[in-house]
Amino acid sequence: MPIERVNDFVVRFANVNGSGSASANQIFARAILRMGVPVAPRNIFPSNIQGLPTWYEVRISQAGHLGARGGTDLMVAMNPQTWDKDLAAIESGGYLFYDSSRPIPSSKFRDDITVIGMPLTQICNKEYSDPRQRQLFKNIIYVGALSALLNIDVAEIEKLLSEQFRGKEKLIAPNVKALHIGRDHALANLACPIGLKVRRADEIGDRIFVEGNAAAALGAVYGGATVCAWYPITPSTSLAEAFGNFCRRYRSEKESGKNRFAIVQAEDELASIGIVVGAAWNGARAFTATSGPGISLMQEFLGLAYFAEVPAVLFDVQRGGPSTGMPTRTQQSDILLCAYASHGDTKHVLLFPEDPHEAFEFGALAFDLADRLQTPVFVMLDLDIGMNHRLCRPFLWEDKHVYDRGKVMHFADLETGRDFGRYLDVDGDGIPYRTYPGTHPKRGSFFTRGSTRDRYARYTEEGGPYVDNMERLLRKFDTAKTLVPAPIIEAAKSRTPFGVIYFGSTSPAMSEAAELLEKDGIALDLMRVRAFPFGGEVTDFIAEHERVFLVEQNRDAQLRTLLLAECGIDPAVLTPILHYDGTPITARFIHEAIAGAVKPVPETPTRVKSEM
């Protein structure tokens, strides 16, 4: 039977990269959003310029589920190269919309789906003579057809076209015409609407629709960053570009035309982190945006920043690895790389935002933490968050916010003869005082280096001062536990021996999976980890459960490894749920993995033996 659902289905567009389909597909998603129905779009694209397959998935969910669901209810198949794969992905009872200009053998279809053919190429060839126009308007024509098939308010699409081509008014009328060509043809020749329908709702509220990279960049602006040094790398490039756009808008003096920021595209990643460390040593708030391969190249400077205790912020927009790996696919596979970046004994602060809202919030917070702790801080985004639009809570900022510059001695402090030891711990929190270069003509710090020294920065290779310094750095890391965002815990409705730990972009899929598991009679306590180092809440949560599932998007269970290394956890307690094929983890995947590992428990369960 054909699927019949209102405001609860998945549409996937199969296109060719470089065909101009991206903007049309985005208009489709935004039109539904304008109708008050939550959408979660995801762009799945190749790492070359054009010619390879690309997909754009739009999940429509009035219930507000924003994670990838898995499966496709309506496939818009515009790429013959991926036909078989696209056809196989359609749910039984689903729909296939395709260009029927050329005959396709019946063997290429399925009996359990509804096939909807429309001669898009013939229509375009009749209407347009220019080959490029035929291709571009073909995309708008199929959006028009979908508006009829899915009952989308065409007025919303018209408004979006007007907004997109504002300043290029000559393009508005031709695009609106193409829209109605597709819509009118569908209304006249196809059964409209189909079983999948969009109905106007009011489920958006005050939420905003924004990309994670743009949100993080704006967070850097509000966090006081004035220096960005970077080298282009997918999927982080748009973060640095967005920061530049925001700075030109908010950090340029209208009267003088002077810029109050510096953005440097360095010759490589090693140079970019070197610029960041140099700028931060001189008192600027500085950051770089990169991905896993960039972090690999930055190791030496990261060790310098850790050991010399120089603030630095790194936005790591994670992708598939190792090596070049899958540059345009998502993973959470840089956890260990960043936590222990550089040689020797190092430990770094990691922040795990779940969506653009926290990308903004943690993007700003990272600079306060870096200054307070005098150390590198990593904001661990990934491609799924960074390069996709997501509905999220509005950004919040307190205008009275005072930046936490940490322990800094100024001229007056030094002039009075106050004892200054660059690596002297005066109050037991592991954090020494620092000075900005040039604060005082004779006192304070004037240079730094990565070699061993005593509490007063005097060079030494003696073992005692080295051990003293390394133990102080551990005390500082303990202090960080009290400063980083605490985990968020959501208790099950009934007592349960099972818990789940998850983080970052797995959040929406995990929340939905928990609902599905609850319907199966499987109760789970949830903990979303938001930072490393781990506070006592994490170890307490694990201790309270006989079995804890760790949901991650990497092969080697990196968060689990980190927990075992740092918290002394019994490995048998922690069961990994791993997804790492480069696509976003789905609620279905998590549900099936956990449901397959446990049996439903009664409302007041007895203690059960671990199944590990």
Side-chain angles (χ1 to χ4, degrees):
M1 291 292 292
I3 296 172
E4 293 191 6
R5 296 199 194 109
V6 177
N7 294 350
D8 182 20
F9 53 91
V10 175
V11 179
R12 175 171 279 214
F13 297 83
N15 300 103
V16 176
N17 201 31
S19 64
S21 60
S23 61
N25 296 343
Q26 289 170 10
I27 285 173
F28 170 86
R30 289 177 179 273
I32 298 172
L33 191 69
R34 293 284 181 93
M35 292 179 67
V37 182
V39 298
R42 284 176 169 83
N43 192 16
I44 305 165
F45 57 98
S47 56
N48 74 334
I49 297 176
Q50 69 178 46
L52 288 182
T54 182
W55 293 269
Y56 188 79
E57 180 177 290
V58 182
R59 183 175 186 184
I60 297 98
S61 172
Q62 186 166 336
H65 296 306
L66 301 179
R69 188 200 69 183
T72 301
D73 300 308
L74 168 60
M75 178 67 70
V76 181
M78 295 292 118
N79 187 356
Q81 289 181 323
T82 60
W83 178 274
D84 292 340
K85 179 179 180 180
D86 297 331
L87 192 72
I90 303 172
E91 300 277 283
S92 181
Y95 301 82
L96 170 70
F97 177 85
Y98 77 106
D99 183 355
S100 61
S101 297
R102 293 183 179 180
I104 296 178
S106 59
S107 59
K108 285 291 187 177
F109 297 100
R110 283 169 43 187
D111 295 334
D112 63 335
I113 63 173
T114 299
V115 177
I116 306 168
M118 182 170 167
L120 295 168
T121 299
Q122 291 181 11
I123 293 171
C124 289
N125 289 345
K126 179 181 177 181
E127 293 288 337
Y128 309 103
S129 58
D130 180 78
R132 186 57 178 166
Q133 280 190 330
R134 288 174 175 174
Q135 177 58 59
L136 293 176
F137 284 121
K138 178 179 179 180
N139 302 319
I140 299 298
I141 288 172
Y142 72 60
V143 170
L146 292 175
S147 74
L149 291 167
L150 301 176
N151 203 36
I152 299 171
D153 188 346
V154 71
E156 298 293 356
I157 305 177
E158 291 173 349
K159 291 177 186 176
L160 286 165
L161 288 171
S162 296
E163 293 170 11
Q164 177 169 321
F165 295 111
R166 185 176 292 125
K168 300 178 181 178
E169 276 69 23
K170 291 183 179 180
L171 297 177
I172 296 175
N175 277 275
V176 171
K177 179 183 177 182
L179 175 71
H180 281 280
I181 288 173
R183 180 177 175 83
D184 293 345
H185 186 279
L187 289 171
N189 298 280
L190 303 175
C192 299
I194 59 175
L196 306 176
K197 301 178 182 66
V198 179
R199 181 180 298 158
R200 191 172 289 277
D202 188 16
E203 299 296 334
I204 305 301
D206 64 349
R207 286 182 291 178
I208 60 176
F209 194 58
V210 63
E211 280 187 338
N213 280 352
L218 189 60
V221 172
Y222 274 79
T226 56
V227 176
C228 170
W230 65 296
Y231 183 78
I233 181 172
T234 302
S236 71
T237 296
S238 62
L239 197 160
E241 292 174 341
F243 179 76
N245 292 334
F246 288 133
C247 283
R248 282 184 283 275
R249 183 173 179 180
Y250 299 117
R251 292 234 165 99
S252 295
E253 293 182 352
K254 294 181 180 179
E255 296 79 10
S256 65
K258 293 182 178 179
N259 292 328
R260 297 302 180 185
F261 62 91
I263 300 176
V264 182
Q265 182 176 324
E267 62 266 32
D268 54 35
E269 287 89 350
L270 182 61
S272 68
I273 189 62
I275 293 168
V276 168
V277 173
W281 166 253
N282 281 278
R285 287 193 156 186
F287 76 92
T288 189
T290 188
S291 191
I295 300 293
S296 296
L297 294 172
M298 296 178 182
Q299 299 288 302
E300 186 172 0
F301 266 120
L302 287 169
L304 172 65
Y306 174 79
F307 200 56
E309 298 179 67
V310 181
V313 171
L314 299 94
F315 291 93
D316 179 9
V317 190
Q318 299 168 89
R319 69 190 207 184
S323 188
T324 304
M326 297 188 292
T328 59
R329 299 293 185 264
T330 194
Q331 279 188 1
Q332 297 171 311
S333 55
D334 296 347
I335 308 303
L336 295 176
L337 171 69
C338 294
Y340 301 125
S342 194
H343 56 279
D345 295 322
T346 56
K347 292 184 181 183
H348 300 296
V349 174
L350 313 181
L351 304 179
F352 303 118
E354 70 164 346
D355 63 2
H357 175 90
E358 285 192 344
F360 170 82
E361 179 183 341
F362 292 1
L365 173 65
F367 293 93
D368 275 355
L369 289 174
D371 272 353
R372 184 75 180 87
L373 295 165
Q374 299 175 31
T375 197
V377 173
F378 292 79
V379 183
M380 305 298 290
L381 297 161
D382 60 34
L383 185 145
D384 189 32
I385 296 175
M387 293 194 71
N388 288 312
H389 282 78
R390 185 83 61 83
L391 273 174
C392 68
R393 292 168 291 153
F395 303 154
L396 300 176
W397 186 257
E398 176 55 61
D399 288 337
K400 296 180 182 179
H401 177 83
V402 177
Y403 294 139
D404 184 353
R405 301 310 302 261
K407 294 180 177 180
V408 180
M409 280 194 186
H410 299 287
F411 178 87
D413 301 310
L414 298 170
E415 186 68 10
T416 59
R418 182 177 171 183
D419 186 23
F420 173 70
R422 176 63 187 95
Y423 302 106
L424 178 65
D425 183 5
V426 299
D427 52 15
D429 67 357
I431 306 172
Y433 276 87
R434 63 174 174 145
T435 63
Y436 301 132
T439 295
H440 192 282
K442 297 181 179 180
R443 303 185 179 110
S445 296
F446 294 88
F447 66 92
T448 191
R449 60 186 174 190
S451 52
T452 56
R453 65 276 162 154
D454 66 11
R455 297 178 180 181
Y456 289 87
R458 294 174 298 212
Y459 173 77
T460 178
E461 295 184 14
E462 295 293 324
Y466 172 78
V467 171
D468 175 69
N469 190 64
M470 294 299 287
E471 290 182 346
R472 179 184 58 76
L473 289 172
L474 280 180
R475 291 198 300 275
K476 181 166 72 169
F477 203 65
D478 284 336
T479 298
K481 296 177 182 179
T482 68
L483 301 176
V484 298
I488 293 178
I489 299 174
E490 184 179 347
K493 295 178 181 178
S494 59
R495 187 182 174 193
T496 175
F498 303 120
V500 176
I501 294 177
Y502 61 103
F503 64 102
S505 64
T506 62
S507 180
M510 183 64 245
S511 297
E512 184 180 359
E515 295 179 11
L516 297 173
L517 289 162
E518 184 181 7
K519 293 178 181 178
D520 290 344
I522 301 174
L524 296 169
D525 293 328
L526 307 179
M527 169 180 276
R528 180 165 67 88
V529 172
R530 300 198 293 166
F532 173 73
F534 308 120
E537 306 97 329
V538 177
T539 51
D540 290 346
F541 181 86
I542 296 172
E544 292 166 359
H545 298 87
E546 292 188 7
R547 191 172 186 183
V548 177
F549 297 95
L550 261 68
V551 179
E552 307 188 45
Q553 296 186 94
N554 57 70
R555 185 196 68 181
D556 294 340
Q558 294 188 23
L559 186 69
R560 181 177 184 270
T561 301
L562 203 57
L563 283 165
L564 295 175
E566 297 291 329
C567 302
I569 306 298
D570 178 3
V573 177
L574 303 179
T575 301
I577 304 295
L578 305 176
H579 182 276
Y580 52 92
D581 68 358
T583 62
I585 195 168
T586 67
R588 289 181 179 180
F589 178 89
I590 299 171
H591 170 245
E592 291 173 4
I594 295 179
V598 302
K599 296 179 179 180
V601 294
E603 185 172 351
T604 306
T606 57
R607 305 295 282 179
V608 298
K609 184 179 179 181
S610 172
E611 296 181 13
M612 280 297 294

